[in-house]
């Protein structure tokens, strides 16, 4: 009984500058990141309360190139799985 929802939250970013304090550093860096959250939520009633147990699975990828290519890149990293719940 209740409602089940599967969600995906995603963000992509590209960076092409490094700063030391508030000053731009010399060089030509490039860093790309792709991050996402897979989220499972189930809304149900429990003893007169609405509860929302959730499972959140973070995933991501970083890719460094140009002047910071020595940092390498990561592909398809899985973060720590998060178990959460809210009660209304």
């Amino acid at each position: 009984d209740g409602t089940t929802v599967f969600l995906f939250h995603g963000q992509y970013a590209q960076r092409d500058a490094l700063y030391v304090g508030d000053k731009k550093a010399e060089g030509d860096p490039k860093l790309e990141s792709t991050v996402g959250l897979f989220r499972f939520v189930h809304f149900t009633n429990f003893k007169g309360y609405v509860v929302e147990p959730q499972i959140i699975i973070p995933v991501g990828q970083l890719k460094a190139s140009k002047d910071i290519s020595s940092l390498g890149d990561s592909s398809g990293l899985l973060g720590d799985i998060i178990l959460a719940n809210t009660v209304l």
Side-chain angles (χ1 to χ4, degrees), residues 12-15 30-34 61-65 68:
Y12 173 80
Q14 242 182 9
R15 297 154 192 91
K30 184 175 180 186
L31 179 65
E32 296 175 66
S33 63
T34 306
Q61 178 179 356
L62 294 173
K63 183 178 180 185
S65 58
I68 60 171

Side-chain angles (χ1 to χ4, degrees), residues 39-44 50-54 84-88:
R39 188 173 181 179
F40 164 83
V41 184
H42 180 72
F43 299 86
T44 190
V50 176
V51 294
E52 303 169 20
Q54 303 178 39
N85 188 40
T86 58
V87 178
L88 303 175

Side-chain angles (χ1 to χ4, degrees), residues 18-20 23-29 67:
L18 290 174
Y19 287 84
V20 177
K23 295 184 176 147
K24 188 174 179 179
E26 295 292 321
D28 187 22
D67 287 354

